[in-house]
Amino acid sequence: SRFLRLNKDHQNFVLETTSGEVHCKFIVNCGGLYSDRIAKLCGVKPNLQIIPFRGEYYEIKPDKEHIVKNLIYPVPDPKFPFLGVHFTRMIHGGIEAGPNAVLAFKREGYTKRDISIQDLSQMFLYSGFWKMASKHYKMGVDEFTRSFSKKRFVKALQKLIPEIREEDIHPGGAGVRAQALEPNGKLVDDFRIVEGEKMVHVLNAPSPAATASISIGRTIAELVRKRMS
Ligand SMILES: Cc1cc2nc3c(=O)[nH]c(=O)nc-3n(C[C@H](O)[C@H](O)[C@H](O)COP(=O)(O)OP(=O)(O)OC[C@H]3O[C@@H](n4cnc5c(N)ncnc54)[C@H](O)[C@@H]3O)c2cc1C
């Protein structure tokens, strides 16, 4: 059920959701792509905006899977929060190649066709967006061309496995990163957890937040415990 707005009832919060009201004493916002909007609905100024970056994958065809025997990752460029394309052996079999990092035109923009006028207007009216765009436009254009050109995507993969060819891969799935952007155009590259009265807002949880989720969960639980005691 989707959180819509917040009301108060004496000492308690009343969360209006698409499946009715939820009453609680404390709020933890882990809203990912919508965490900034949820914070605002809770009366907290996030001082950042979530910008969606789609990560598109290819999959290696089964007869070529033998060329990847382990996880193959590049050395990260500390200037960017995104790692760059890599090879991942999946737990249920198969090998993913990617992801790229393309600006999405919708917060839940999982495909190239997804566009939201509301999301785009909010993004384009944010000064931080233009500051980031002026700093990183070359990288942005490169990512767009890689998204539309399999040849360019394969060229990036060949930095890790020179013998990989276009015919060895086919399109796979995609995910959308919830990337926090500050008003000065800086892409936030660390976790950003903001505390409010009887609230904790997780406003940036980039990779490896999935791998580190148990530890992040413990940190949040500790913050809640301290604030409630
Ligand atoms: C392509 C890609 C590759 C990645 N690779 C890795 C990796 O290799 N290793 C790694 O550790 N991490 C990786 N990550 C990052 C990882 O997925 C995120 O860091 C992690 O999912 C963040 O967790 P979260 O709980 O903050 O947000 P999310 O997982 O996005 O969860 C947010 C939740 O909030 C819910 N929500 C949003 N709005 C509302 C609302 N209004 N009401 C109610 N619920 C709402 C959503 O439905 C969702 O369930 C990758 C991400 C992408 C996109």
Side-chain angles (χ1 to χ4, degrees), residues 157-186:
L157 294 175
Q158 284 171 337
K159 287 189 185 151
L160 300 176
I161 304 183
E163 65 265 43
I164 196 157
R165 298 282 169 262
E166 275 184 62
E167 53 275 22
D168 299 339
I169 58 173
H170 58 78
V176 183
R177 301 175 187 83
Q179 175 61 51
L181 178 67
E182 290 182 339
N184 61 8
K186 186 177 176 294

Side-chain angles (χ1 to χ4, degrees), residues 1-4 30-34 38 53 55 57 73 86 99 174-177 202 205-212:
S1 50
R2 191 154 55 89
F3 168 65
L4 301 172
C30 299
L33 284 160
Y34 296 98
I38 293 172
F53 283 94
Y57 288 90
Y73 280 61
H86 47 269
V176 183
R177 301 175 187 83
V202 181
S207 184
T211 311

